[in-house]
Every structure is written in C-alpha cells, then in structure tokens.
Amino acid sequence: RYPRHVVSATRALDRRILRLALPAAASSALQLVHATVDMFWVGQLGTEALAALAIATMTVWMFLSIGSLMAIGVTALVARYVGVGRAHAAAYVTHQGLLWSVVLGVVVAALGFALAVPIYRAADAAPAVAQMGVAYTRVFWGAGALMLVQIAADAAWRGYGNTRVPLYAGGVALLVNLGLDPLLIHGWGPIPRLGVPGAAWATVIATVLGVLLVVGVLVRHRRVR
C-alpha cells in the first residue's frame, strides 16, 4: 500500500490532468461535428455535391495537419516559459505565433488556390463535381490566415494550461456554423443559394467569430506581448 499522502497527491494530479484533457478532447471532436453538419446539408443537394465535399474534406484535413505542426511548437514553447515562470517570454512567443500564423496563412491560401484544380483532376472528378469542389477549396484555403490564427491562439492557451477557452470559443463558432450552413448552402429570402461553397463560407464566418473570442481573451488577460 502506498502512503496516504502519496495516494492523495496522485488523485489530485489525476483530477488536474482530466480538467485539462477533457476540454482538449472535446475541442478536437468539434472538428468532426463541423464536417458532419456540412455533409448533412450538402448531401441534400445530391450525389455530385456530396462527392465534391468529400474530396474537399481531404484538403481540409491537409490544412489542419499544417496547422497542427505549428500548434505543437507554440504550445511547447509557451508551456516551457510558463513552467519556469517567464511570463513575458511566454507572451512574446504567443505574439510571434499569432504573427507567423498570418504569414503562413497567406502562403497556404496561395497554395490552396493554385492546387485546387490539380487536386480534383488527380481525383478524376466529373466537371460538375470539380467546379463545386474547387470553389469550396478556394474559399476554405483562402481564409487560411484566419483559421491558422485561431489554431495558434488555441495552442497558446493550451501552453498556459487552459483548455477551456479554446473549447468555449470553438463551441460558439460551431453554433454559428450550425445556423449558417443551411442558410448559405440552400439560400433563404435575399440570401442567394451558394451550394457547396456555402458550407465553406459558413465555416469562414464562424471562424472570424472564434478568432475574435479566443484572441480577445488573450489580449484582455495580457497573454500577448
């Protein structure tokens, strides 16, 4: 048997880990919910629209992989400086992460615009499928800077040991996306029917709100220098 104080300390540590891990896992699950909602509404447009989105979703995961590489670095460096009590250095790393996410986002946007057509050619997509899918891909990747800023900000919060803020911001963005998807994909009143690209525009608009929330809280708490 372990001493009582060791058991108590271990349980306390387990609770702290769970408080960090559960919101982080839920944040990751939000991406799957986004994709599922898009599939549901786009699927109502027909099989060609669904095929276009399926190929575009592959490019989305490529994009998120790029963001994940950056996020790992930001989280590791911020956590390192927080751990040694260098708050100023952690805030500086956060600032640099946000700044370079914009630069990387511009590069990624150019790549997405240029490679959208070759990707659908490589998939041997029908012309109608390629037309819808290329439009979606270019809208999504064109907003790369915004999305990478949110990924960098989320990573900084994780480095600070806070996984709840990214979850709350992601949850709000998801709710906005849930409302905009049917509106932009199918149209309503004065809002035109955008079809498959409407799903991308819904994601972009929701991301703008997510960025304002997560970065705004960073600035308010002076976590950026």
Side-chain angles (χ1 to χ4, degrees):
R1 294 173 59 87
Y2 291 103
R4 183 175 299 176
H5 71 279
V6 173
V7 174
S8 177
T10 301
R11 288 176 178 172
L13 181 60
D14 288 343
R15 287 193 293 269
R16 291 181 62 187
I17 291 173
L18 281 175
R19 282 198 296 268
L20 289 172
L22 291 178
S27 295
S28 298
L30 292 181
Q31 294 295 335
L32 294 176
V33 178
H34 271 285
T36 302
V37 171
D38 286 351
M39 285 286 185
F40 173 79
W41 289 110
V42 170
Q44 297 181 17
L45 299 176
T47 55
E48 288 185 336
L50 196 56
L53 183 61
I55 298 172
T57 299
M58 178 193 68
T59 72
V60 169
W61 294 122
M62 290 167 56
F63 178 93
L64 294 177
S65 296
I66 295 171
S68 294
L69 292 174
M70 176 192 66
I72 290 170
V74 172
T75 299
L77 286 174
V78 171
R80 175 184 178 184
Y81 289 123
V82 169
V84 296
R86 296 178 60 185
H88 184 83
Y92 175 76
V93 169
T94 300
H95 174 267
Q96 290 298 302
L98 296 175
L99 176 64
W100 284 101
S101 67
V102 175
V103 175
L104 181 59
V106 172
V107 174
V108 163
L111 285 174
F113 190 92
L115 295 177
V117 172
I119 286 173
Y120 278 83
R121 265 194 211 133
D124 198 23
V129 172
Q131 182 180 10
M132 292 183 285
V134 167
Y136 178 101
T137 301
R138 284 178 170 171
V139 171
F140 187 94
W141 285 67
L146 282 172
M147 296 183 185
L148 290 181
V149 166
Q150 182 169 6
I151 290 172
D154 289 350
W157 275 115
R158 288 193 294 272
Y160 279 111
N162 187 324
T163 54
R164 296 183 304 279
V165 170
L167 176 60
Y168 297 152
V172 171
L174 176 60
L175 291 175
V176 172
N177 190 67
L178 286 172
L180 290 178
D181 254 354
L183 195 62
L184 297 181
I185 292 171
H186 296 283
W188 183 75
I191 299 173
R193 176 188 176 100
L194 299 178
V196 177
W201 280 113
T203 300
V204 169
I205 295 171
T207 299
V208 171
L209 182 58
V211 167
L212 291 176
L213 288 172
V214 77
V215 175
V217 178
L218 274 173
V219 172
R220 189 162 68 247
H221 287 268
R222 298 181 181 179
R223 301 293 174 89
V224 182
R225 301 242 183 219

